[in-house]
Amino acid sequence: YEANKSFQLDWATRKRKNPDKYFKFMNRYYYYDHRNLDFRAWWINRALEMLDNEHIDGVFVDGICATPNRRGYGKGYEQAYIETATELRERLPPGKLLIGNALKNGANNPLGGIGNIQHLQYLDGSYLERWYFTPKSIVKTMELMREALKEGRIVMLKAVPDERDAVPKWDEETSLEEVMQSPDMTMDERYALVERMIRYPLAIFLLIVEPHAYLSYCYGVNADPKNTRNGRAVFDCERFKELKRKLGKALGPYVKEDEDGEFVFSREFEFLKVWVDIESREVRLEEKSGG
């Protein structure tokens, strides 16, 4: 946030129908206007200055998936953003990464293309969130990830242990959120529940996993023990047996199991078979001999 000290208000995006007002994220942060060339130079230079730090591997650009939705900004906003990001790509130091929150199963527009896949022309990869609302949207997300991986891009699928639609169905009277935040739970009980929740997003991930594919299973990026909300934000994934199963080589891509249902998919590995019903969120992880 130090960079914002030199940000100029003239670079913020004004509302088209009320130019005295500015667009703000969460009613706190100004939205940048990439159509302003002075702002564009400032934005790119701030990113490049940060990359001078040898401990920083690259730049993450959030909100790319929303650029087509800035209708109130006026014409040319998405094109201007793409021009800014492309210039940053061209000036990026060798070995540094440019990752974005780009791929989105519901996106379909002339510049970004279906699922925003065209943004991968200048990105090394994409982070994916909020991918799980309907079976059809999940299938589309799987297709997008598979296409990105074929092109050698990085994909990082995000899942949160108590994000209602991204975990196995929860039928108990007490909400999952309340259970997870209960101060009465022991650490062993908490780990057992968090591991139980990983099966569904893990199965989706295993359907598409290839080199450069990653699963982010956590509550957030803040690992400070003082900000864990009863210990829920920080856990050791090494304790999860589900993540230690032996896979071996993939024996092919995922396949649709039409006989089992419209949204049932499976994939074979050398030592494991993954079967998942996306609609019911039922998962089978069947170990094979030698696994």
Side-chain angles (χ1 to χ4, degrees):
Y1 298 101
E2 288 291 315
N4 283 330
K5 291 182 177 180
S6 57
F7 176 78
Q8 298 181 28
L9 190 57
D10 287 343
W11 299 341
T13 306
R14 296 176 183 268
K15 296 186 177 182
R16 183 177 56 182
K17 295 184 178 180
N18 191 354
D20 293 332
K21 301 289 185 179
Y22 296 93
F23 283 103
K24 288 186 177 181
F25 176 64
M26 298 177 64
N27 208 33
R28 295 173 62 189
Y29 306 108
Y30 291 105
Y31 277 110
Y32 300 152
D33 191 343
H34 288 271
R35 294 165 296 190
N36 185 305
L37 297 183
D38 291 334
F39 163 76
R40 189 179 299 184
W42 174 86
W43 190 86
I44 292 171
N45 287 329
R46 295 296 79 75
L48 294 175
E49 287 171 5
M50 180 182 67
L51 291 177
D52 286 338
N53 187 325
E54 63 179 343
H55 301 294
I56 294 177
D57 296 320
V59 175
F60 173 74
V61 184
D62 202 1
I64 297 172
C65 56
T67 53
N69 300 327
R70 310 293 193 218
R71 295 183 180 89
Y73 288 16
K75 295 180 179 179
Y77 181 83
E78 185 180 15
Q79 179 61 45
Y81 159 73
I82 292 174
E83 291 171 2
T84 306
T86 300
E87 183 178 345
L88 175 59
R89 168 86 270 171
E90 293 169 351
R91 296 173 60 184
L92 212 65
K96 299 292 187 177
L97 296 170
L98 184 58
I99 306 292
N101 181 357
L103 296 181
K104 193 75 171 177
N105 54 55
N108 185 6
N109 62 88
L111 293 176
I114 296 175
N116 277 336
I117 198 74
Q118 296 301 321
H119 284 284
L120 295 186
Q121 293 180 8
Y122 63 85
L123 291 171
D124 292 297
S126 179
Y127 161 90
L128 296 96
E129 63 179 353
R130 303 177 69 79
W131 47 267
Y132 38 72
F133 293 116
T134 69
K136 288 184 178 180
S137 70
I138 294 171
V139 172
K140 182 59 185 176
T141 298
M142 289 161 49
E143 293 169 352
L144 285 169
M145 290 191 290
R146 184 164 64 175
E147 185 174 349
L149 290 166
K150 283 182 179 178
E151 296 299 319
R153 298 300 194 268
I154 297 167
V155 299
M156 188 178 82
L157 186 68
K158 177 195 174 187
V160 176
D162 58 9
E163 202 156 26
R164 185 178 304 277
D165 296 308
V167 297
K169 288 189 175 179
W170 182 263
D171 298 321
E172 299 181 24
E173 289 186 10
T174 305
S175 73
L176 177 58
E177 291 83 357
E178 289 178 304
V179 172
M180 291 298 294
Q181 295 180 43
S182 170
D184 298 325
M185 287 187 74
T186 67
M187 189 58 68
D188 285 342
E189 290 172 334
R190 196 179 306 280
Y191 267 99
L193 184 55
V194 170
E195 180 166 19
R196 170 183 164 189
M197 295 297 104
I198 200 175
R199 286 178 63 85
Y200 179 64
L202 175 62
I204 299 295
F205 176 73
L206 290 176
L207 289 176
I208 62 88
V209 67
E210 300 286 351
H212 312 306
Y214 300 90
L215 174 64
S216 171
Y217 185 67
C218 61
Y219 284 103
V221 297
N222 189 347
D224 185 346
K226 296 178 182 179
N227 294 283
T228 59
R229 293 175 64 188
N230 295 324
R232 67 192 288 271
V234 179
F235 48 80
D236 179 9
C237 287
E238 289 295 315
R239 289 183 60 170
F240 298 153
K241 293 179 290 185
E242 297 288 9
L243 297 180
K244 294 187 175 184
R245 296 177 186 272
K246 191 175 180 181
L247 285 178
K249 295 180 180 179
L251 303 182
Y254 65 79
V255 296
K256 193 170 184 294
E257 300 284 0
D258 291 313
E259 293 184 359
D260 292 338
E262 183 180 0
F263 298 104
V264 178
F265 296 83
S266 69
R267 191 180 188 191
E268 297 263 1
F269 294 88
E270 190 176 358
F271 302 116
L272 188 73
K273 179 177 180 180
V274 179
W275 182 99
V276 56
D277 184 331
I278 292 174
E279 192 164 33
S280 70
R281 301 183 216 164
E282 180 186 352
V283 170
R284 301 175 196 161
L285 300 176
E286 302 171 357
E287 293 186 355
K288 302 179 182 179
S289 176

